[in-house]
Amino acid sequence: MATFKSRAVRITQHGGPEQMQLVETEVGEPGPGEVRIRHHAIGLNFIDTYQRSGLYPMAMPLTLGGEGAGVIEAVGEGVTHLQVGDRAAYAGSGQPGSYCDLRVMPAMSVCRLPDAISFETGAAMMLKGLTAQYLLKRTRPVEGLEPGDYLLWHAAAGGVGLIACQWAKALGYRLIGTAGSDEKCALALANGAAHMINYRTEDFVARVREITGGAGVKVVYDSVGKDTWGQSLDCLQPLGLMVSFGNSSGAVPPFAPGVLAQKGSLYVTRPTLASHARTRERTQAMADELFAVVASGQVKIHIDQRYPLEQAAQAHRDLEARLTTGSSILLP
């Protein structure tokens, strides 16, 4: 069986960015239900740091990375939605491994990339864009969301946040965002946030109550975790929904369900992309909606940092230090 040389960023034990090593690997032919893709760009996401650090324990050795875009070089038996030469992008395969030049992977999560969308944009937007899609369109409060409704989005100047600011505006929602600097607040406002709160200088609970006339919001979308959890519950209306979809400040501590009753019969969910994109058809439908809103210009993907593949460890340091805005990509 033919093999092909590839570089990959791999770890052999959990830890800091210093564990990340660039190694040479060999990649073979795809098996049934698989494709071989040559990356033109690779997405960088906060979940990659969780898998590297051990917050999300993974089997070793591990090639990091959850999304990428490139060209299909080979197609395994039974794969009918992709052909050799297709432009493609993916996220949420359930199998990390995108920090490389070339990989074999399950075809289920790989989607054809429209010609109107560049490889860099495709790599930067798949995980973040599909996340924004399942949050705004599928993870909704019990009383629904209507145009004019307020919602709270933490880390609104991040990769998912900037997509959400634009998409929420296109849907008619009034997004109240939080960020850690005036510059980041200005960036989110420029991308469609209705209001921004600098959580380092303002009490975001008090500001949310002020903005909403004391009513609170129907839903909070929170990727920060430990640092924002308790206060976020205080921002919700009765029957409101707390959506915890990340842990950038650390994992949410255990809490008594009775707290939800005290604060207004609140709902809590911890969704993942893997649960929402669990079939090829569902993944494609979600991706088609994302491609359409990006191609229409209603949502623009901001790639604010680009790193060569060999500088992936520095990219992780910058991400964890919250020095990045928008999306970041690695270039093979």
Side-chain angles (χ1 to χ4, degrees):
M1 185 176 76
T3 59
F4 305 85
K5 299 288 186 188
S6 175
R7 298 170 304 149
V9 176
R10 187 168 285 180
I11 62 172
T12 56
Q13 64 182 43
H14 291 301
E18 70 279 357
Q19 298 295 335
M20 299 164 65
Q21 302 295 323
L22 189 68
V23 300
E24 188 171 278
T25 64
E26 290 190 342
V27 178
E29 298 291 348
E34 295 181 329
V35 294
R36 188 174 69 243
I37 184 169
R38 182 169 296 277
H39 291 131
H40 286 232
I42 300 153
L44 184 75
N45 295 282
F46 221 101
I47 193 174
D48 305 347
T49 71
Y50 301 159
Q51 294 171 346
R52 187 211 72 228
S53 70
L55 180 64
Y56 294 172
M58 307 292 290
M60 297 293 154
L62 174 68
T63 299
L64 294 163
E67 70 178 334
V71 174
I72 301 298
E73 284 197 347
V75 174
E77 181 185 345
V79 176
T80 58
H81 70 288
L82 294 165
Q83 299 178 0
V84 172
D86 279 350
R87 305 170 77 254
Y90 66 88
S93 69
Q95 297 183 11
S98 67
Y99 286 15
C100 62
D101 298 313
L102 190 66
R103 73 181 291 198
V104 168
M105 64 178 295
M108 189 196 88
S109 61
V110 183
C111 301
R112 289 183 64 180
L113 185 66
D115 291 341
I117 299 175
S118 72
F119 290 119
E120 288 195 0
T121 298
M125 78 177 188
M126 288 297 285
L127 186 59
K128 300 173 189 70
L130 291 174
T131 298
Q133 193 276 346
Y134 83 71
L135 291 172
L136 286 171
K137 303 301 286 289
R138 301 172 61 86
T139 312
R140 299 156 67 85
V142 67
E143 295 187 329
L145 279 175
E146 304 294 337
D149 281 346
Y150 286 105
L151 59 89
L152 178 62
W153 198 292
H154 290 300
V160 178
L162 288 181
I163 295 172
C165 286
Q166 298 173 76
W167 208 333
K169 183 178 181 181
L171 292 168
Y173 307 147
R174 291 186 283 185
L175 184 146
I176 305 169
T178 70
S181 72
D182 290 343
E183 292 77 15
K184 288 187 175 184
C185 286
L187 179 61
L189 287 168
N191 280 274
H195 301 272
M196 283 299 298
I197 303 167
N198 183 340
Y199 63 79
R200 296 191 193 279
T201 60
E202 299 178 277
D203 177 342
F204 73 78
V205 178
R207 284 284 291 125
V208 166
R209 291 291 173 182
E210 179 186 332
I211 291 165
T212 61
V217 297
K218 284 187 173 180
V219 57
V220 177
Y221 295 104
D222 184 8
S223 63
V224 176
K226 176 173 66 71
D227 288 355
T228 49
W229 173 261
Q231 293 165 288
S232 292
L233 296 179
D234 291 333
C235 293
L236 286 164
Q237 298 175 11
L239 306 185
L241 174 62
M242 177 67 190
V243 183
S244 175
F245 70 100
N247 317 278
S248 63
S249 68
V252 172
F255 67 96
V259 169
L260 304 177
Q262 295 164 13
K263 293 182 183 293
S265 302
L266 304 179
Y267 291 75
V268 172
T269 186
R270 181 61 173 87
T272 65
L273 177 58
S275 299
H276 284 275
R278 62 186 182 273
T279 66
R280 195 192 74 73
E281 293 76 16
R282 190 181 290 249
T283 303
Q284 188 66 57
M286 293 170 65
D288 286 346
E289 201 167 304
L290 172 62
F291 295 154
V293 78
V294 171
S296 74
Q298 290 179 298
V299 171
K300 295 181 172 60
I301 307 301
H302 297 274
I303 303 171
D304 294 337
Q305 295 80 214
R306 291 172 173 82
Y307 303 87
L309 183 62
E310 55 270 24
Q311 290 181 16
Q314 184 59 49
H316 273 224
R317 292 185 188 99
D318 291 350
L319 199 60
E320 290 180 303
R322 303 192 185 183
L323 297 177
T324 65
T325 55
S327 298
S328 304
I329 57 171
L330 302 174
L331 297 173

